[in-house]
Amino acid sequence: MRASDGDRDRAIGQLRQAYGSGVLSTDTFEARVGRAVMVRDVDELGSLVQDCPPGAPLTGARVAVRRMIDALRPPAELRAPPPASGDFAIGRSTACNRVFADRTVSRVHAQLRWVNGGWVLSDLGSMNGTWVNGWRITSAWVRDGDRVQLGRVKLRFRSR
């Protein structure tokens, strides 16, 4: 079914709420709004907002407090499996090897692989991105101590 201007406005409003409440990063918000303006089908609009929580947005002060608390919280650890264990799936799905309940983490968000004596972290098409040391990646080598972020979940990679 063809998307109307009203459909687009509702989807963009939902994206604004998710961004304002801290569910979406700035990059993800901008990318999704750009796609919302261009899509032609209502189902495509639905896929852009499927992980956005319903409800009223947080006020600016509450968002600022949440971000300050998140910044002070030490990152959890992402421990590498033994090198011979094969691919290691990371996501929200219980089928993953490492599961995160955070809504900003995709069902199957990323994958760790042992390649030529080192670890490679690959994003698996997640909506909110995978980051290593502050850089958004599709695939990157990770070493002990690197900062990894999946959606809003901040981690410290440990290979030992």
Side-chain angles (χ1 to χ4, degrees), residues 3 7 26 28 51 54 65 81 89 92-93 102 107 122 127 145 152:
D7 294 328
T26 301
T28 301
D51 60 342
V65 168
R92 210 174 61 230
S93 169
D102 192 285
R107 285 181 189 89
S122 300
M127 293 295 267
R152 271 193 330 201

Side-chain angles (χ1 to χ4, degrees), residues 58-113:
L58 297 177
T59 65
R62 288 178 63 196
V63 170
V65 168
R66 176 187 283 180
R67 288 186 178 154
M68 283 191 312
I69 290 169
D70 287 347
L72 295 172
R73 183 179 302 136
E77 288 191 351
L78 175 60
R79 290 200 174 271
S85 63
D87 294 343
F88 188 79
I90 306 166
R92 210 174 61 230
S93 169
T94 56
C96 291
N97 301 93
R98 178 73 192 266
V99 178
F100 295 96
D102 192 285
R103 292 180 63 128
T104 63
V105 176
S106 296
R107 285 181 189 89
V108 183
H109 195 103
Q111 174 184 45
L112 264 175
R113 286 176 292 133

